[in-house]
Amino acid sequence: MSRTDWRRRLGRSWWLLLGLMLGPLLLCDLLAGKAEHGALALPLFIAGLLAMFPSLLLFRQYKRALVATERALGSDAEPDAWQQLASRHRKALVGAALPAWIAALAVFAGLEAVPQLLLLSASLVLLLLYRIPRQLA
């Protein structure tokens, strides 16, 4: 595959995960409607906040893969570097979506709209970190 194909593929996976991150929260909000405030709402919110920390390790691995891919451009190791980057990218995107997915589960525990938006915003910010830079074109 060419560099453009790899970039396009990684960009599509980013957009796909964005949809998979937003979809469950919207669907749970529609299905659950107005749930009573439960005792699990606050612990689930805290779990959603704590779910951001594994992304630190995943981001470090992703940045290393980005640097390795940039160094491998134009060499024989380029296809392997792109595959490694794609693998790290996938794992990092899943890690970035964790707070939003926990917010979707917490809807059934009665988590209010503001904490849901905070967890969703945290996931969106983390997801923005994993855009493929233009330097790899």
Side-chain angles (χ1 to χ4, degrees), residues 37-61:
H37 187 69
L40 286 177
L42 184 60
L44 283 173
F45 175 70
I46 292 170
L49 290 176
L50 292 176
M52 292 187 303
F53 289 104
S55 187
L56 294 173
L57 175 65
L58 294 171
F59 183 71
R60 188 176 314 130
Q61 294 171 352

Side-chain angles (χ1 to χ4, degrees), residues 6-16 89 132:
W6 276 108
R7 279 187 47 81
R8 198 172 292 137
R9 181 178 175 189
L10 292 173
R12 272 189 302 232
S13 68
W14 188 89
W15 283 104
L16 176 67
H89 190 248
I132 299 299

Side-chain angles (χ1 to χ4, degrees), residues 9-27 89-90 92-101 104 119-131:
R9 181 178 175 189
L10 292 173
R12 272 189 302 232
S13 68
W14 188 89
W15 283 104
L16 176 67
L17 199 77
L18 177 66
L20 289 174
M21 184 181 74
L22 295 173
L25 184 58
L26 295 174
L27 188 63
H89 190 248
R90 234 182 341 268
L93 290 177
V94 169
L98 280 177
W101 289 339
L119 291 175
L120 181 65
S121 299
S123 283
L124 286 173
V125 168
L126 289 173
L127 203 66
L128 286 174
L129 291 175
Y130 299 115
R131 297 292 306 242

